[in-house]
Amino acid sequence: MILFRKADDLTDFLLKQRNNGLRTGFVPTMGALHQGHISLIRQARESNDLVICSVFINPTQFNDPSDFEKYPVTIENDVDLLQAAGCDILFFPSVDEMYPPGLPVKTYDLGFLETILEGKFRPGHFQGVCRVIDRFLTLIHPDNFYLGQKDYQQCLVVRRLITILGLEQQVSLVITPTLRDPDGLAMSSRNTRLSPDQREQAVNIFRALSSIAAGMNQFPPELLISDAVARLESEGFRVDYVEIASANDLQPYQTTLPEEPLVALAAAFLGDVRLIDNMLLPPRS
Ligand code: AMP
């Protein structure tokens, strides 16, 4: 695996590879890698000549400074995991490399998507996500771009960004399933910040979403949502949201057509650790 710290060196190298006709797959991460991240690397490995992974804790997407400061850093372990998974290139830039002085600060028109769920509870978050991904796309020009379904709304935001940038023909977005611990908790770098007791409670997010999926064709969605919120609160969570929405565009379920696929999404704090998860719901009968 080749490590690049400088954007220019990476761009020069990749230009040569593209001129040789190599197909590239890119997996952006913030490090503290776990098997969920590695599943993206493995999927990229299957369909590309070159697999590129970035490890960059993007300051512009943190609306809470203490979340940024406490974000786990495990770069040596990350390097070992990436190497073992067959990653070819690790891009591990500094903040100055990603945001050099003079780089224009753009605003991205994300419309409705930015006003709901993560957009509502983390103001500015998706602008920061778009800034960093715009920069990665400019530097790397991947053929395939890998994102986890774990960050459902982020996937839709990035799809929109690709359209805004006019790159639909150049880059394919590949969305991969959420990897979970054996009890069902979605793997997340933030899980390492949970105490042993909190780790046991954390699985209730998965259970709450599973109850919504199981009850979908038996009970009204409002009831399923209020039950899920009550369950999480009784387990010590501070709930930002539990919602059911169109899986296509996250419009509220009340406005969806009966045949439209739905997704349940949740975000909640345990102590100062914010966890998110989501689950595609069975078709309505
Ligand atoms: P992060 O480092 O949290 O920014 O995540 C980097 C990428 O890995 C994102 O596309 C995430 O959606 C994806 N990811 C995070 N957790 C998981 C998981 N448990 N299973 C699959 N993909 C994940």
Side-chain angles (χ1 to χ4, degrees):
M1 186 168 73
I2 312 176
L3 169 69
F4 286 93
R5 299 227 57 189
K6 299 279 178 207
D8 286 349
D9 294 346
L10 176 70
T11 316
D12 290 349
F13 179 84
L14 289 177
L15 184 63
K16 287 188 199 117
Q17 308 306 317
R18 271 200 308 280
N19 288 342
N20 290 335
L22 296 190
R23 285 184 68 75
T24 53
F26 175 51
V27 181
T29 81
M30 298 204 296
L33 300 184
H34 49 67
Q35 288 306 314
H37 296 113
I38 296 305
S39 70
L40 273 73
I41 301 287
R42 289 196 206 287
Q43 187 146 348
R45 182 70 286 160
E46 280 173 20
S47 357
N48 298 278
D49 301 307
L50 268 186
V51 176
I52 304 142
C53 176
S54 62
V55 169
F56 178 62
I57 306 177
N58 174 32
T60 66
Q61 73 185 66
F62 284 82
N63 55 315
D64 172 359
S66 88
D67 188 27
F68 176 61
E69 279 150 27
K70 290 182 188 157
Y71 203 85
V73 178
T74 62
I75 188 65
E76 285 171 16
N77 189 51
D78 295 350
V79 168
D80 291 345
L81 288 176
L82 289 172
Q83 231 152 3
C87 180
D88 299 302
I89 294 170
L90 168 58
F91 183 39
F92 179 44
S94 65
V95 173
D96 276 354
E97 279 297 308
M98 286 303 286
Y99 300 117
L103 186 77
V105 180
K106 296 196 217 165
T107 305
Y108 304 87
D109 179 9
L110 303 174
F112 167 76
L113 261 184
E114 204 179 2
T115 64
I116 49 156
L117 307 172
E118 293 300 286
K120 177 172 164 199
F121 284 91
R122 302 185 67 189
H125 168 65
F126 285 128
Q127 290 297 321
V129 168
C130 286
R131 264 185 90 186
V132 78
I133 297 221
D134 187 355
R135 178 95 172 113
F136 279 136
L137 289 172
T138 307
L139 296 175
I140 295 174
H141 296 284
D143 296 296
N144 296 306
F145 190 103
Y146 294 83
L147 289 177
Q149 187 202 313
K150 159 88 173 22
D151 296 275
Y152 199 93
Q153 194 173 2
Q154 172 169 275
C155 295
L156 298 189
V157 163
V158 172
R159 177 160 286 148
R160 178 156 173 102
L161 174 69
I162 288 173
T163 306
I164 291 172
L165 299 175
L167 294 175
E168 299 104 311
Q169 304 304 318
Q170 281 90 328
V171 54
S172 302
L173 189 58
V174 184
I175 297 171
T176 68
T178 303
L179 247 75
R180 299 178 178 280
D181 283 345
D183 65 353
L185 176 66
M187 292 181 185
S188 165
S189 306
R190 288 185 175 88
N191 293 352
T192 59
R193 293 185 46 222
L194 297 169
S195 70
D197 282 352
Q198 287 172 331
R199 169 62 190 82
E200 284 203 1
Q201 287 162 325
V203 69
N204 284 293
I205 290 207
F206 168 73
R207 293 193 183 137
L209 293 172
S210 303
S211 298
I212 291 177
M216 200 47 205
N217 285 314
Q218 298 171 52
F219 303 105
E222 320 69 86
L223 185 66
L224 293 170
I225 291 172
S226 59
D227 275 2
V229 171
R231 170 183 199 148
L232 290 172
E233 286 177 349
S234 74
E235 294 291 342
F237 285 85
R238 184 157 57 79
V239 178
D240 270 355
Y241 60 81
V242 176
E243 290 291 353
I244 299 174
S246 160
N248 296 332
D249 54 15
L250 294 180
Q251 290 285 341
Y253 68 87
Q254 295 91 335
T255 66
T256 57
L257 298 169
E259 63 275 18
E260 208 165 330
L262 295 175
V263 59
L265 311 102
F269 284 89
L270 269 179
D272 67 350
V273 183
R274 188 171 184 277
L275 300 173
I276 63 170
D277 199 355
N278 64 81
M279 196 173 283
L280 291 167
L281 300 179
R284 283 171 273 182
S285 54

